């Protein structure tokens, strides 16, 4: 039943809806008016706004260019007057003209500054400064032509620097920016040129350059004017670099203690003092850290250079290293600013890093040199470990102290680094350095060969023990974690190696080197490979080491099997049978491990060992033994496939069995293709039937296609070239049976495959008769048949189009 509201309520609702309709109508009318206006505006083409031309050069820039050009032209004119027209005037005229012009030009900036023409005043002042240089040249030509040019330039540059400084400090010209930087540039020359003129030698010239750099440093630290500070800083870095390079070269080439002391203490320490003073004064600046690092490196160069002449050449690097480590004492001095202490610590780290770079050639020879024994297997034991390690590589000169350097840096890392963030990194580095020390020590000491092998074995065992003892951290430090309260360095980064994994890697590297070293003699090879196999197998009891040590033990076991076979004089195919013990052990171990992390690496190692066995059997060209090896590999794989999580290994097992069967048939000189295909067909069809039973929706092509194609296709190819009737007849019967089974069970794959093979087989058998019939037919019959076929196709196409038009018309007439 319909509910009708009271009249008053209904009237109120109607008024409300009418008001809403009026509001909506007003909104739509407003929108319509806007759209009409927009369409009219779009219809009228609007002229593109003409952009006002933008000036390519600002007014101040144009002004500066004009002033600079004017100053340069006037300077060139003055030089031409001084150099060319000077001789046409007398002495009085020369002095009056040049002096008057110089004074007038130097005085001109005063009124210009009063009128606010600063740029013009700077340009005129520049011209005046250039004229003073010309005055000095003219004075030399007139009064001091016989004076030494270098000495005169030294004196003149000192006088000009003083005059330009005074000119820039005068009350009326103190607003000029050019005189003081120019005076500082002129002040770079007097001391160095004076030392050259006085024949002070390389030491004196270098000292003069460093004193100049110190003067520039003082100016840069004291003078508040920015232009002067920048000029002084450039001069300090330039002259300082030149002086430090010269002092370092003198220190390195010094042949006696006195010469080294002069070059080191008097020059390098002076440069270090300058850098340290600058860093101490400017601790808030970004350059303070770099200056502190430079001061530390210069101090090390000075002290090490002093001790170098009195030490043997082999102890040169350790001497510098000791001086670098001594810098760490300054880090504990609380009076030094924190920036300076950090800089000195970085300088010490840089010295230690350079010392470690010096040790790399010997470490590389000790690690990679034994690889050369792979080409000289069982050629005889060398006399000592140096000969065993280097083989044909040249031994680095003065490398007797390499173990000392490695051990000292390792101790420093352990004792000096106490920060909670950097401590794991330091321990990792110390572990690597200790390993490198143990690696190079037997060769440096030239211990006997057997003792060296024992030392390498102990190093491998020690690295494995360290890896077993150092448990992996539960949660690694991340880059977002804050350092400890006492930390002054940046937080650690993700992915930095920790001591445990590093020890494992070092153990692997040492074992590889030891394995190559053992190739010199037969007993050494067997003993070392046996020890390595047992060592890594024992380490595999640690769960966190098993993913690495277990496959390594299997790899060394496979190599031991090969070495045992070679020592016994076995042929490769018989050695392959011994190698197969490794895949058997890997399969048993993987079954025992279950889902552990070491399962997959162990299985991979077993697979590689199986491939090695197959390769050994194949290299011998003994087909029966190769078939046996393949069959045994299939048995091992089938055993692994028993595990529920390794069912896929059954396919590999089937493939291995098939390969073994094929190889055996080839060994029996069987050439019939069915003998090769039938062993594949039966398992494939059985697997397809099992899959269809488990999954009725599976396609027959997936289930039965491979099993049917394996025998039918090779037999069809063989039947086409077989002149006899037996194979085509049997193939036809088999294809007919497959076709009937496909039709009976409504399976597409057997129906189509069997039918296609049956058809092709029938065509092969009827081919001679078809050829005879074709020869008996007239030549016009094939074109006629082709024409009839085309006409039939055209008629069918036209009929389909006519039916489509009828359907369209029928649908169009429907209401």
């Amino acid at each position: 039943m319909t509910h009708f509201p009271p009249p008053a309520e209904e009237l109120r609702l109607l008024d409300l809806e009418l008001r809403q309709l009026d509001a909506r109508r007003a909104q739509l009318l407003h929108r319509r008016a806007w759209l009409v206006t927009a369409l009219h505006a779009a219809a009228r083409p609007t002229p593109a706004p003409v952009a006002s031309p933008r000036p390519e050069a600002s007014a101040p820039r144009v002004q500066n260019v004009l002033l600079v050009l004017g100053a340069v032209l006037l300077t060139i004119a003055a030089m031409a007057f001084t150099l060319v027209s000077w001789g046409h005037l007398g002495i009085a005229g020369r002095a009056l003209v040049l002096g008057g012009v110089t004074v007038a030009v130097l005085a001109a900036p005063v009124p210009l500054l009063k009128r606010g023409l600063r740029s013009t005043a700077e340009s005129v002042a520049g011209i005046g400064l250039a004229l003073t240089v010309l005055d000095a040249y003219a004075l030399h030509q007139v009064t001091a032509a016989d004076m030494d040019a270098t000495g005169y330039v030294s004196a003149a540059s000192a006088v000009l620097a003083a005059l330009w400084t005074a000119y820039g400090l005068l009350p009326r010209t103190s607003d000029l920016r050019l005189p003081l930087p120019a005076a500082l540039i002129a002040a770079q020359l007097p001391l160095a040129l004076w030392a050259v003129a006085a024949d002070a030698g390389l030491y004196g010239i270098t000292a003069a350059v460093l004193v100049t750099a110190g003067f520039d440093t003082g100016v840069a630290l004291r003078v508040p004017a920015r232009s002067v500070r920048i000029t002084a800083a450039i001069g300090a870095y330039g002259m300082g670099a030149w002086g430090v390079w010269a002092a370092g070269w003198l220190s390195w080439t010094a042949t006696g203690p006195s010469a080294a002391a002069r070059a080191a203490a008097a020059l390098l320490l002076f440069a270090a003092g300058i850098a340290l003073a600058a860093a101490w004064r400017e601790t808030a600046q970004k350059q303070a850290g770099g200056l502190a690092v430079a001061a530390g490196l210069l101090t090390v160069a000075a002290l090490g250079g002093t001790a170098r002449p009195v030490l043997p050449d082999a102890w040169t690097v350790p001497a510098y290293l000791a001086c670098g480590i001594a810098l760490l004492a300054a880090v504990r001095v609380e009076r030094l600013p924190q920036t300076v202490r950090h800089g000195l610590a970085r300088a010490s780290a840089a010295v230690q890093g350079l010392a470690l770079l010096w040790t790399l050639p010997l470490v590389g020879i000790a690690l990679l040199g034994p690889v050369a024994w792979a080409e000289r297997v069982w050629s005889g034991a060398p006399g000592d470990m140096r000969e065993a390690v280097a083989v044909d590589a040249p031994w680095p000169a003065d490398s007797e102290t390499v173990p000392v350097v490695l051990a000292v840096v390792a101790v420093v890392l352990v004792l000096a680094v106490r920060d909670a963030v950097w401590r794991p990194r330091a321990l990792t580095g110390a572990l690597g350095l200790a390993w490198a020390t143990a690696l190079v020590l037997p060769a440096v000491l030239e211990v006997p060969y057997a003792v060296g092998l024992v030392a390498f074995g102990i190093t491998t065992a020690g690295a494995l023990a360290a890896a077993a003892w150092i448990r992996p951290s539960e949660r690694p430090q991340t880059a977002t974690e804050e350092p400890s309260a006492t930390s002054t360095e940046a937080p650690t980064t993700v992915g930095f190696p920790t001591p445990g994994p590093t020890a494992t890697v070092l153990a692997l590297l040492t074992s590889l080197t030891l394995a190559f070293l053992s190739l010199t003699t037969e007993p050494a090879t067997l003993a070392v490979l046996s020890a390595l196999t047992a060592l890594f197998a024992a380490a595999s009891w640690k769960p966190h080491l098993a993913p690495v040590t277990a496959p390594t033990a299997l790899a060394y076991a496979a190599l031991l099997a090969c070495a045992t076979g070679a020592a016994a004089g076995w042929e490769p195919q018989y050695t392959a049978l011994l190698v197969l013990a490794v895949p058997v052990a890997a399969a048993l171990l993987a079954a025992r491990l279950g889902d552990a992390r070491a399962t997959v690496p162990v299985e991979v190692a077993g697979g590689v060992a199986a491939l090695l066995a197959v390769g050994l059997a194949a290299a011998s060209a003994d087909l029966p033994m190769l078939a046996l090896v393949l069959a045994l590999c299939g048995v091992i794989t089938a055993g692994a496939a028993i595990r529920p999580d390794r069912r896929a290994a059954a396919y590999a097992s089937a493939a291995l069995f098939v390969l073994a069967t094929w190889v055996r048939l080839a060994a029996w000189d069987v050439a019939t293709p069915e003998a090769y295909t039938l062993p594949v067909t039966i398992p494939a069809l059985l697997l397809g039937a099992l899959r269809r039973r488990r999954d009725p929706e599976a396609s027959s092509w997936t289930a039965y296609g491979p099993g049917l194609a394996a025998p039918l296709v090779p037999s069809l190819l063989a039947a086409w070239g077989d002149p006899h009737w037996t194979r085509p007849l049997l193939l036809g019967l088999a294809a007919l049976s497959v076709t009937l089974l496909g039709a009976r069970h409504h399976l597409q794959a057997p129906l189509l495959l069997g039918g296609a093979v049956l058809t092709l087989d029938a065509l092969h058998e009827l081919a001679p008769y078809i050829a005879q019939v074709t020869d008996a037919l007239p030549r016009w019959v094939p074109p006629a048949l082709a024409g009839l076929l085309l006409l039939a196709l055209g008629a069918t196409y036209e009929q389909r189009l006519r039916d489509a038009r009828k359907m369209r018309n029928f649908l169009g007439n429907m209401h």
Side-chain angles (χ1 to χ4, degrees), residues 670-693:
V670 175
T672 304
E674 288 78 9
Y676 294 90
T677 57
L678 289 178
V680 180
T681 302
I682 296 174
L685 291 178
L686 290 177
L687 291 175
L690 290 175
R691 180 167 184 178
R692 288 275 297 179
R693 177 175 295 181

Side-chain angles (χ1 to χ4, degrees), residues 76-502:
I76 293 174
M79 293 174 61
F81 170 77
T82 304
L83 299 176
V84 179
S85 302
W86 183 257
H88 299 291
L89 299 175
I91 296 177
R94 299 172 187 175
L96 181 62
V97 172
L98 196 56
V101 171
T102 302
V103 172
V105 173
L106 290 176
V110 176
L112 293 174
L113 288 174
K114 289 183 178 180
R115 296 188 177 185
L117 304 176
R118 177 181 294 275
S119 298
T120 306
E122 295 284 356
S123 301
V124 174
I127 297 173
L129 299 180
L131 288 176
T132 57
V133 178
L134 295 176
D135 290 340
Y137 170 76
L139 183 62
H140 177 266
Q141 294 296 322
V142 173
T143 62
D146 298 334
M147 185 178 178
D148 179 56
T150 305
Y152 181 79
V153 173
S154 173
S157 59
V159 173
L160 288 176
L163 290 176
W164 292 351
T165 302
Y167 179 70
L169 296 177
L170 290 176
R172 299 294 181 87
T173 57
S174 59
D175 292 336
L176 295 174
R177 299 178 181 177
L178 184 60
L180 292 180
L184 190 58
I185 293 174
Q188 307 302 308
L189 303 177
L191 282 178
L193 294 180
W194 172 80
V196 174
D199 293 331
L202 293 178
Y203 290 97
I205 297 173
T206 304
V209 171
L210 290 176
V211 170
T212 305
F215 168 74
D216 294 333
T217 304
V219 173
L221 295 176
R222 295 289 183 179
V223 178
R226 187 171 181 271
S227 59
V228 178
R229 289 172 62 91
I230 293 176
T231 306
I234 294 173
Y237 283 114
M239 300 297 285
W242 180 19
V244 166
W245 178 85
W249 182 79
L250 290 173
S251 175
W252 186 255
T253 57
T255 57
S258 61
R262 281 187 296 164
L267 298 178
L268 290 175
L269 284 180
F270 178 67
I274 295 173
L276 183 60
W280 198 319
R281 176 65 183 272
E282 297 293 322
T283 53
Q285 300 295 327
K286 295 181 180 180
Q287 297 83 2
L291 291 171
V293 172
L297 294 177
L298 290 173
T299 303
V300 171
L303 299 179
T306 304
R308 183 186 59 81
V310 299
L311 295 174
D313 292 339
W315 289 92
T316 298
V317 174
Y320 282 100
L321 177 61
C323 298
I325 295 173
L327 285 179
L328 295 176
V331 180
R332 306 295 181 183
V333 180
E334 298 294 337
R335 294 183 58 187
L336 291 175
Q338 187 177 17
T339 306
V340 175
R341 285 188 288 159
H342 287 175
L344 295 178
R346 292 189 181 97
S348 177
V351 173
Q352 296 177 56
L354 292 174
L356 293 179
L357 286 178
W358 174 71
T359 66
L360 285 182
L362 185 58
V363 175
I365 290 177
L367 184 63
L368 302 177
V371 177
W373 287 107
E375 299 178 353
R376 308 178 181 185
V377 178
W378 297 352
S379 59
D384 53 40
M385 278 302 293
R386 180 173 298 187
E387 182 181 350
V389 166
V391 192
D392 294 330
W395 188 258
D398 302 326
S399 57
E400 293 81 5
T401 55
V402 167
V404 177
V405 171
L406 293 171
V408 168
V409 177
V411 172
V412 170
L413 287 176
V414 173
L415 298 179
V417 181
R418 296 294 182 181
D419 183 75
V421 175
W422 287 90
R423 183 67 176 174
R425 303 182 181 185
L427 293 177
T428 302
L431 180 63
L433 293 175
W435 167 80
T437 305
L439 193 69
V440 302
L441 191 59
V444 171
L445 297 179
E446 298 183 81
V447 301
Y449 172 69
V451 177
L453 291 182
V454 174
F456 271 75
I458 294 174
T459 303
T460 305
L464 282 178
W469 178 66
I470 303 174
R471 299 284 299 179
S473 59
E474 298 295 332
R475 183 179 58 88
Q477 184 87 8
T478 61
T480 57
E481 293 178 352
E482 295 294 333
S484 61
T486 59
S487 174
T488 57
E489 301 292 339
T492 186
T493 56
V494 178
F496 195 90
T498 55
T502 302

Side-chain angles (χ1 to χ4, degrees), residues 505-557:
V505 173
L506 296 179
L508 288 176
L509 293 177
T510 313
S511 66
L512 288 174
T513 303
L514 178 59
F516 281 112
L517 279 174
S518 67
L519 297 178
T520 56
T521 60
E522 177 182 321
T525 303
L526 296 176
V528 167
L529 290 179
S530 301
L532 290 177
T533 302
L535 183 62
F536 280 93
S540 300
W541 289 101
K542 291 291 183 179
H544 65 284
L545 295 182
V548 177
T549 56
T552 305
L554 293 174
Y556 283 127

Side-chain angles (χ1 to χ4, degrees), residues 673-740:
E674 288 78 9
Y676 294 90
T677 57
L678 289 178
V680 180
T681 302
I682 296 174
L685 291 178
L686 290 177
L687 291 175
L690 290 175
R691 180 167 184 178
R692 288 275 297 179
R693 177 175 295 181
R694 293 178 180 179
D695 184 12
E697 299 298 327
S699 172
S700 62
W701 289 101
T702 304
Y704 303 116
L708 293 176
L712 293 178
V713 174
S715 298
L716 178 63
L717 296 176
W720 274 74
D722 193 348
H724 304 287
W725 58 271
T726 306
R727 176 177 281 114
L729 177 60
L730 295 177
L731 177 63
L733 293 177
L736 178 61
S737 302
V738 170
T739 305
L740 294 177

Side-chain angles (χ1 to χ4, degrees), residues 581-600:
V582 176
V584 172
L588 295 176
L589 181 60
R592 187 177 185 278
L593 291 174
D595 295 333
R597 290 190 303 142
T599 303
V600 174

